[in-house]
Amino acid sequence: NAGVMQNPRHLVRRRGQEARLRCSPMKGHSHVYWYRQLPEEGLKFMVYLQKENIIDESGMPKERFSAEFPKEGPSILRIQQVVRGDSAAYFCASSPARNSYNEQFFGPGTRLTVL
Amino acid sequence: DAKTTQPTSMDCAEGRAANLPCNHSTISGNEYVYWYRQIHSQGPQYIIHGLKNNETNEMASLIITEDRKSSTLILPHATLRDTAVYYCIVRVVNRDDKIIFGKGTRLHILP
């Protein structure tokens, strides 16, 4: 059973460009969470999605950031008009619909560098 | 979710038991204690969780005090690969929501 997959693993963008980060949850998982880790800082929750629905986006910046988890395909975290402060590691986690232990399984992350 | 307090860093000799403490004095009756770790440049990894009884799995043991206000994660025979940041988190089980990570404990396993 493959784990959570994220791609690309490393992404370089110039200021003003768009960044698209992809997350494929574990097989059978319908819940996806995105977290961001700025350099030398802790992990911060961004958004929680179920298939085709955003459940909690309380950690998402109000502008330039969006997330989706379509019925088919991976979850996408999209950052428009990137700035240097967006440089960070972005981690995706997934969990099954019935999650009696409330465990989240994390992917390897995408490291975004904004030049 | 209740707050937790952990030491900033700890050292442990390779082959010895690593004991990582965590205080969660405001924990609620329906909140579990979870431990995750993050090895450098990797995604966080679930280790173990418990409510009030001691728990053990292939990775670690979790000892929770009777009043549930503190706990200790034990790595019985630490190896160099156990060097990581360890996060103690309290969460309600059966509720799908975000994990609130604190600063954790940076554990250094010394050769």
Side-chain angles (χ1 to χ4, degrees):
Chain A
N1 188 10
V4 177
M5 295 170 61
Q6 291 188 248
N7 68 82
R9 295 292 305 276
H10 300 273
L11 182 62
V12 179
R13 285 287 178 266
R14 296 192 181 279
R15 281 180 296 168
Q17 291 184 320
E18 178 179 288
R20 281 185 180 240
L21 288 63
R22 293 174 186 77
C23 169
S24 296
M26 287 180 68
K27 187 177 180 180
H29 287 191
S30 58
H31 297 192
V32 164
Y33 309 78
W34 286 93
Y35 295 81
R36 177 167 69 172
Q37 188 168 35
L38 294 169
E40 304 304 320
E41 294 191 16
L43 289 138
K44 302 293 183 188
F45 167 79
M46 299 182 75
V47 62
Y48 162 36
L49 309 103
Q50 296 177 14
K51 284 285 187 181
E52 299 185 280
N53 288 304
I54 295 175
I55 306 302
D56 180 356
E57 55 182 348
S58 58
M60 286 278 271
K62 293 289 183 280
E63 298 177 348
R64 301 188 297 109
F65 285 71
S66 62
E68 63 176 10
F69 189 18
K71 189 176 179 182
E72 302 290 339
S75 175
I76 306 287
L77 179 68
R78 182 182 177 207
I79 312 171
Q80 294 178 288
Q81 299 175 318
V82 295
V83 300
R84 290 218 172 104
D86 297 331
S87 295
Y90 291 82
F91 293 97
C92 164
S94 74
S95 66
R98 289 192 177 182
N99 189 12
S100 35
Y101 293 125
N102 214 357
E103 182 182 346
Q104 294 180 16
F105 298 84
F106 283 80
T110 293
R111 273 144 193 87
L112 172 66
T113 301
V114 179
L115 302 177
Chain B
D1 290 342
K3 274 191 80 171
T4 62
T5 304
Q6 299 177 251
T8 302
S9 66
M10 293 181 62
D11 292 338
C12 178
E14 188 178 16
R16 304 296 291 268
N19 298 288
L20 292 92
C22 179
N23 286 322
H24 31 79
S25 58
T26 60
I27 192 170
S28 300
N30 63 345
E31 289 180 316
Y32 282 61
V33 180
Y34 286 75
W35 284 83
Y36 280 78
R37 74 179 181 183
Q38 187 177 24
I39 295 171
H40 182 63
S41 297
Q42 297 183 23
Q45 177 189 22
Y46 165 83
I47 300 173
I48 199 168
H49 77 280
L51 180 64
K52 54 183 178 181
N53 298 319
N54 298 339
E55 301 287 345
T56 295
N57 63 21
E58 64 279 3
M59 288 184 67
S61 294
L62 175 59
I63 309 298
I64 302 173
T65 57
E66 196 167 335
D67 63 7
R68 302 210 322 124
K69 292 186 176 181
S70 65
S71 60
T72 301
L73 178 75
I74 301 172
L75 308 177
H77 304 287
T79 71
L80 296 177
R81 287 176 293 182
D82 292 320
T83 293
V85 178
Y86 288 76
Y87 298 98
C88 170
I89 299 153
V90 292
R91 303 176 67 210
V92 177
V93 80
N94 280 329
R95 191 173 84 185
D96 298 317
D97 63 2
K98 55 187 176 276
I99 298 174
I100 299 175
F101 290 90
K103 296 187 184 301
T105 295
R106 190 172 294 274
L107 176 66
H108 298 277
I109 305 301
L110 307 174

